[in-house]
Amino acid sequence: MYFFLRAQYASWPPPESAHLDVFIPSLQTGFLILSSILVEWSTAAVKRGNQAVVKIGFLGAVILGALFFGLQFGIEWPNLLFSGELLPSSGLFGASFFLLTGFHGAHVFAGVIANGIVTAKAFLGHFSEKNHGFLEAA
C-alpha cells in the first residue's frame, strides 16, 4: 500500500500534508533496535545455559516494547489526533499513516505479550540449553 501510494506523488509525504516531528519515532526505533539486540543476546545465552542473561534480556525487551507501545498510543497518536495536526481523514497520507502505524503497533503489542510469556517462563526456570524451542519460536 505504501509503495503504491508513494508512486502516485512526486514527493512523499505530499506537500499539503502535515510535517511530523521525528523525535518520538526516533526513540521508538531505538527501543525496537535495542529490544531486538536483547532478544538475540538472550537466545544465544540460553544455548550456553546462561539463565541470568535470558531473564535480563527478555525482561528488557518487554520493557522496551511496552515503552514503544506507550509512546505511540499514549503520546504520539493522541497529540496528532487531539491537535488535529494529522487525522485518518487527512487524505491518503493521514489514512496510510494511521493504518500502517496501527498495524505495526498491534504487532509490537503481540510481541510484548509473547516476550512477556517467555520472560515469565524464564523466571520459572522452564528453559535450558536443550529445551528452549518455545523461546526461539516466540
Side-chain angles (χ1 to χ4, degrees):
M1 179 185 87
Y2 171 81
F3 292 110
F4 175 77
L5 293 175
R6 173 64 183 90
Q8 307 302 310
Y9 294 89
S11 66
W12 189 263
E16 67 274 5
S17 298
H19 178 72
L20 303 177
D21 184 30
V22 298
F23 179 71
I24 289 176
S26 296
L27 279 176
Q28 291 172 304
T29 300
F31 291 162
L32 292 183
I33 290 170
L34 184 54
S35 175
S36 297
I37 291 168
L38 289 174
V39 167
E40 290 301 317
W41 181 50
S42 298
T43 303
V46 76
K47 294 173 184 176
R48 294 188 312 271
N50 189 338
Q51 299 302 317
V53 168
V54 174
K55 294 171 189 172
I56 291 167
F58 270 93
L59 181 60
V62 167
I63 291 168
L64 290 167
L67 285 171
F68 172 96
F69 190 81
L71 279 175
Q72 181 170 334
F73 295 109
I75 296 175
E76 182 182 33
W77 274 30
N79 284 342
L80 292 172
L81 294 168
F82 294 134
S83 72
E85 183 179 357
L86 187 66
L87 302 168
S89 60
S90 300
L92 289 176
F93 180 69
S96 63
F97 173 86
F98 284 101
L99 181 68
L100 292 170
T101 60
F103 272 112
H104 186 249
H107 171 80
V108 170
F109 184 72
V112 168
I113 291 170
N115 287 341
I117 292 168
V118 169
T119 303
K121 286 178 160 284
F123 276 92
L124 292 172
H126 288 198
F127 302 119
S128 68
E129 302 94 294
K130 298 194 187 308
N131 180 22
H132 56 269
F134 184 84
L135 181 149
E136 285 197 277

